[in-house]
């Protein structure tokens, strides 16, 4: 592919806009750690929520959707659609709790909730484990997608793509802090959505597709377009739908969909003006992420099945591309070659925007762990704001370099998704219960983290090496969840909870709903929890109905099934009205 002068002008305008925003907030970000990592806790819900959405729209996201659709049909998306249940749980149960904690990072939670040296160790270890090792894996999968897009659209080799994309994003992230990240995310989200819709429109115009009518009526795609898997085939249905809905959403820790909130989602909640803004930000994120965005990607993926039925067709279209990069996830960038001049530049800019929004967030979030929860906590407790910001910028550079090196070792987006999912299998229940059950302790967390990691290592590198037959990904997930859950629960009951002073202080500060604390704390010492727990459960249910009905209603509309579309969209609207009326009963403070 050769970009025209018009394409390069469009890309340059995008780059200058992002650079201008970054420079605009550079001085503000450098004024202190609270500004650099949390924007002074002054951000409104719409900016925070859009920033979360932009972060989850990465260069690897449409590639991953293409991988899913080409491999298992539209129904394969339940692998991530199921995480909506987690997201809505965070909205109505955990967003307010995170904002009340007043922490700089979610890792700081450990020394609020647990006591002793073990809590301090867990905080420091988790900061390095998540902020460095886990985070660079995320950066690597996103950068992998960038190398494939660079190879298809620009003819760049992976190393050149990594050097250009990584360096630009690294400099931008180290300069602007969270203020620059979230404000730029607003622009990046708009550009990225325009680009994804444009890609879908021109994919439908290909002769092999024949427009939207030709796509939905094509006999080769009928089974692939189903929203749900074929339940007569248990092994397929279990992996695609049953396990994600029954097990995965509450048990697996995955970036952007952490049970109980965490990572950059927690960072955004902590940066909100107040509890209500924190809730509204996460609610908007879940509506936009699951209900508004998927269909342009899905349409492109379905079109690719007609334009490039086999992987050999992709290889033939791009003969100079490294064969090791050719997988189903490459189908999305391979469909972009049909875009006209100018619009191709816009789509390339949108993919660059998606890359920058995700990587800049990951770098800022990971750096906050390294600086606040490791460097300031254990290395230099007396560090000045200037020193903390300097360390934040240095750690940003280090994280980007590590992520880029790992990216050059991966092959497909689906590979990275499964590795991340397996590493966190079984730990999710800990993150849900630790706010409401006093019995969860520091050893519960250490056991869950260690066991899940060892199980993931076993399945990734040892299982087949010992002569066992490979297991489906969903079977590995279930085994990982079972082993990890039994392990951490056993450790929990064999060890003591945090000391009474720590538990009382945590309850007084956080004021969690429910009766799980009454046996160990004096509930009369702190303000009582406002709002109804029954209303919170109902809001959780309505939120899920609203988004799933909107998602399927849009799909039915595209498929030309008008009656089903009207019914689904009516259900979504009704759930939205009911939810809006219910919100005052949840008792959020301003």
């Amino acid at each position: 592919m050769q970009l025209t002068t018009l394409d390069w002008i469009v890309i340059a305008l995008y780059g200058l806009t992002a650079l201008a925003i970054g420079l605009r907030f550079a001085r503000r970000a450098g004024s202190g750690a609270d500004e650099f990592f949390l924007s002074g806790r002054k951000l409104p819900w719409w900016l925070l929520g859009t920033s979360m959405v932009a972060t989850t729209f990465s260069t690897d996201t449409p590639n991953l959707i293409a991988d899913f659709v080409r491999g298992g049909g539209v129904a394969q998306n339940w692998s991530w659609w199921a995480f909506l249940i987690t997201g809505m749980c965070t909205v109505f149960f955990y967003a307010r709790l995170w904002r009340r904690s007043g922490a700089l990072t979610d890792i700081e939670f450990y020394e609020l909730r647990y006591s002793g040296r073990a809590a301090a160790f867990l905080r420091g270890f988790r900061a390095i484990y998540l902020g460095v090792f886990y985070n660079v894996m995320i950066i690597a999968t996103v950068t992998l997608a960038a190398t494939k897009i660079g190879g298809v659209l620009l003819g760049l080799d992976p190393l050149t793509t990594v050097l250009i994309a990584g360096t630009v994003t690294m400099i931008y992230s180290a300069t602007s802090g969270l203020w620059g990240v979230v404000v730029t995310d607003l622009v990046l989200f708009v550009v990225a959505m325009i680009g994804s819709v444009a890609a879908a429109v021109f994919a439908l115009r290909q002769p092999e597709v024949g427009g939207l009518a030709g796509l939905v009526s094509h006999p080769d795609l009928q089974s692939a377009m189903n929203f749900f898997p074929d339940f007569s085939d248990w092994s397929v249905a279990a992996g695609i739908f049953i396990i994600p809905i029954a097990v995965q959403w509450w048990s697996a820790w995955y970036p952007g969909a952490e049970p109980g909130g965490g990572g950059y989602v927690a960072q955004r909640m902590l940066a909100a003006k107040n509890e209500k803004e924190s809730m509204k930000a996460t609610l908007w994120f879940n509506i936009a992420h699951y209900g508004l965005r998927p269909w342009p990607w899905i349409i492109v993926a379905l079109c690719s099945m007609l334009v490039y039925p086999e992987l050999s067709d992709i290889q033939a279209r791009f003969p100079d591309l490294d064969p090791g990069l050719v997988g189903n996830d490459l189908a999305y960038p391979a469909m972009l070659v049909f875009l006209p001049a100018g619009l191709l530049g816009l789509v390339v800019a949108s993919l660059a925007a998606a890359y920058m929004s995700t990587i800049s967030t990951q770098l800022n979030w990971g750096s906050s762990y390294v600086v606040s929860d490791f460097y300031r906590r254990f290395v230099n407790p007396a560090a000045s704001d200037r020193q903390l910001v300097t360390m934040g910028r240095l750690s940003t550079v280090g994280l980007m370099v590590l992520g880029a090196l790992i990216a050059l070792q991966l092959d497909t987006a689906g590979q990275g998704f499964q590795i991340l999912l397996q590493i966190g299998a079984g730990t999710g229940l800990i993150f849900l219960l630790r706010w409401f059950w006093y019995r969860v302790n520091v050893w519960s967390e250490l056991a869950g983290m260690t066991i899940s990691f060892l199980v993931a290592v076993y399945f990734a590198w040892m299982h087949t090496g010992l002569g066992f037959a490979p297991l489906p990904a969903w079977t590995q997930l279930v085994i990982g969840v079972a082993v990890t859950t039994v392990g951490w629960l056993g450790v929990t009951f064999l060890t003591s909870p945090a000391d009474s002073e720590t538990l009382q202080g945590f309850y007084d500060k956080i004021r969690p709903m429910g009766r799980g604390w009454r046996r160990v704390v004096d509930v009369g010492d702190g303000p009582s929890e406002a709002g109804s727990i029954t209303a919170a459960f109902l809001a959780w249910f309505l939120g899920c109905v609203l988004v799933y009905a909107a998602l399927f209603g849009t799909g039915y509309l595209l498929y030309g099934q008008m009656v089903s579309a009207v019914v689904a969209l009516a259900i979504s609207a009704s759930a939205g009205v009911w939810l809006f009326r219910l919100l005052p009963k949840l008792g959020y403070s301003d």
Side-chain angles (χ1 to χ4, degrees):
M1 280 296 297
Q2 294 294 323
L3 273 68
T4 66
T5 301
L6 180 58
D7 292 320
W8 286 114
I9 291 174
V10 172
I11 294 172
L13 288 174
Y14 151 74
L16 290 173
T17 301
L19 178 62
I21 294 173
L23 293 175
R24 165 67 177 79
F25 291 100
R27 178 176 294 182
R28 188 168 189 171
S31 64
D34 203 52
E35 286 287 349
F36 190 83
F37 294 119
L38 290 181
S39 303
R41 304 183 196 270
K42 299 174 183 177
L43 293 172
W45 66 268
W46 54 270
L47 190 56
L48 288 169
T50 303
S51 177
M52 292 186 221
V53 182
T55 298
T56 53
F57 184 176
S58 175
T59 44
D60 67 327
T61 310
N63 290 22
L64 181 63
I65 302 307
D67 200 350
F68 284 163
V69 173
R70 289 174 64 91
V74 174
Q76 182 74 52
N77 285 287
W78 282 104
S79 297
W80 68 281
W81 285 346
F83 282 125
L84 170 67
I85 306 174
T86 306
M88 282 299 173
C89 183
T90 299
V91 171
F92 298 111
F93 290 96
Y94 297 97
R96 71 171 74 192
L97 305 184
W98 279 114
R99 186 60 185 83
R100 284 177 194 168
S101 73
L104 182 68
T105 71
D106 58 314
I107 300 295
E108 193 176 324
F109 168 91
Y110 293 119
E111 288 193 282
L112 294 175
R113 174 63 176 79
Y114 309 125
S115 55
R117 292 183 178 179
F121 169 79
L122 177 60
R123 178 180 177 181
F125 181 80
R126 191 80 170 166
I128 300 301
Y129 175 72
L130 289 180
V132 179
F133 295 108
Y134 204 91
N135 190 29
V136 297
M137 190 66 192
I138 302 169
I139 294 171
T141 58
V142 176
T143 303
L144 169 67
T147 65
K148 297 195 174 192
I149 293 169
V152 170
L153 297 181
L154 305 176
L156 301 177
D157 62 86
L159 180 58
T160 302
T161 301
V162 166
L163 288 175
I164 296 174
T167 301
V168 172
T169 307
M170 176 181 65
I171 294 173
Y172 162 79
S173 303
T175 302
S176 63
L178 187 62
W179 266 111
V181 169
V182 297
V183 173
T184 308
D185 277 348
L186 182 63
V187 177
L188 303 188
F189 174 68
V190 174
V191 173
M193 284 304 301
I194 293 173
S196 65
V197 172
V201 169
F202 280 88
L204 289 168
R205 291 184 180 181
Q206 297 314 301
E208 299 90 341
V209 179
L212 187 58
L215 180 75
V216 300
S217 63
H218 200 287
D220 293 344
L221 297 182
Q222 295 310 299
S223 61
M225 292 192 300
N226 293 331
F227 297 157
F228 298 94
D230 180 4
F231 288 97
S232 64
D233 188 338
W234 165 257
S235 61
V236 173
I240 290 179
F241 181 78
I242 296 173
I243 297 304
I245 289 294
V247 177
Q248 180 181 297
W249 72 267
W250 58 264
S251 65
W253 192 99
Y254 187 78
E258 302 88 344
Y264 62 81
V265 173
Q267 183 190 39
R268 301 305 194 270
M269 292 187 285
L270 290 166
K273 293 180 179 180
N274 51 51
E275 293 176 23
K276 183 180 290 186
E277 295 286 300
S278 177
M279 179 275 293
K280 290 163 68 176
T282 48
L283 178 60
W284 164 235
F285 161 56
N286 281 278
I287 292 173
H289 177 50
Y290 295 99
L292 300 182
R293 287 196 317 189
W295 280 107
W297 304 330
I298 293 172
I299 292 297
V300 173
L302 289 171
C303 291
S304 77
M305 297 174 70
L306 301 179
V307 178
Y308 304 109
E310 305 292 338
L311 293 182
S312 58
D313 298 315
I314 300 178
Q315 183 69 74
R317 178 64 177 78
F318 306 99
D320 297 329
L321 194 65
D322 181 357
L325 294 177
V326 178
N328 281 324
D329 58 338
L330 193 63
Y332 187 88
M335 291 297 294
L336 302 182
V337 299
F338 303 112
L339 292 166
L343 193 55
L344 177 59
L346 178 63
V347 172
V348 172
S350 76
L351 293 172
Y355 178 82
M356 288 184 64
S357 66
T358 298
I359 297 299
S360 60
T361 287
Q362 296 298 144
L363 292 174
N364 186 272
W365 162 60
S367 179
S368 71
Y369 285 2
V370 173
V371 172
S372 178
D373 300 299
F374 187 79
Y375 176 75
R376 181 167 62 177
R377 176 63 180 83
F378 300 102
V379 178
N380 188 5
S384 65
D385 271 338
R386 182 182 295 272
Q387 289 175 307
L388 294 175
V389 172
T390 300
M391 282 301 301
R393 288 170 171 162
L394 291 175
S395 59
T396 295
V397 174
L399 291 172
M400 187 67 245
V401 171
L402 289 173
L405 291 174
I406 294 176
L408 297 174
Q409 310 303 315
L410 295 176
D411 296 321
T412 68
Q415 179 187 14
F417 178 83
Q418 291 300 334
I419 290 173
L420 292 174
L421 202 61
Q422 188 65 50
I423 289 175
T427 59
L429 195 59
I430 301 174
F431 305 131
L432 291 173
L433 294 179
R434 64 188 184 179
W435 297 87
F436 303 106
W437 186 30
Y438 78 93
R439 204 66 182 75
V440 175
N441 59 39
V442 66
W443 305 109
S444 310
E445 299 242 15
L446 284 169
M449 180 175 58
T450 303
I451 296 170
S452 67
F453 180 78
L454 292 176
V455 172
V457 169
Y458 169 77
F459 281 123
W461 290 286
M462 298 174 62
H463 183 75
T464 54
L466 293 174
F468 296 105
L471 294 174
W474 70 267
T475 304
Q476 295 181 29
L477 178 70
V478 170
I479 293 174
V481 169
V483 172
T484 302
T485 302
V486 170
W488 77 258
L489 280 174
V491 169
T492 298
F493 287 112
L494 290 173
T495 55
S496 301
D499 63 56
S500 57
E501 182 179 353
T502 299
L503 294 177
Q504 185 69 58
F506 178 80
Y507 180 84
D508 290 343
K509 186 178 186 67
I510 304 299
R511 306 189 310 281
M513 292 181 180
R515 301 176 178 271
W517 292 89
R518 294 181 182 274
R519 290 182 57 184
V520 293
V521 301
D522 181 359
V523 298
D525 286 350
S528 60
E529 170 62 79
S532 164
I533 192 169
T534 303
F537 272 106
L538 179 57
W540 179 19
F541 172 76
L542 291 173
C544 292
V545 171
L546 184 158
V547 176
Y548 280 135
L551 175 67
F552 299 141
T554 304
Y556 285 129
L557 197 62
L558 291 170
Y559 288 178
Q561 301 176 21
M562 301 308 296
V563 174
S564 298
V566 170
V567 171
L569 293 175
I571 291 173
S572 177
S574 300
V577 171
W578 193 354
L579 178 61
F580 180 77
R581 292 179 176 177
L582 187 66
L583 290 180
K585 298 181 180 179
L586 299 178
Y588 289 96
S589 63
D590 295 322

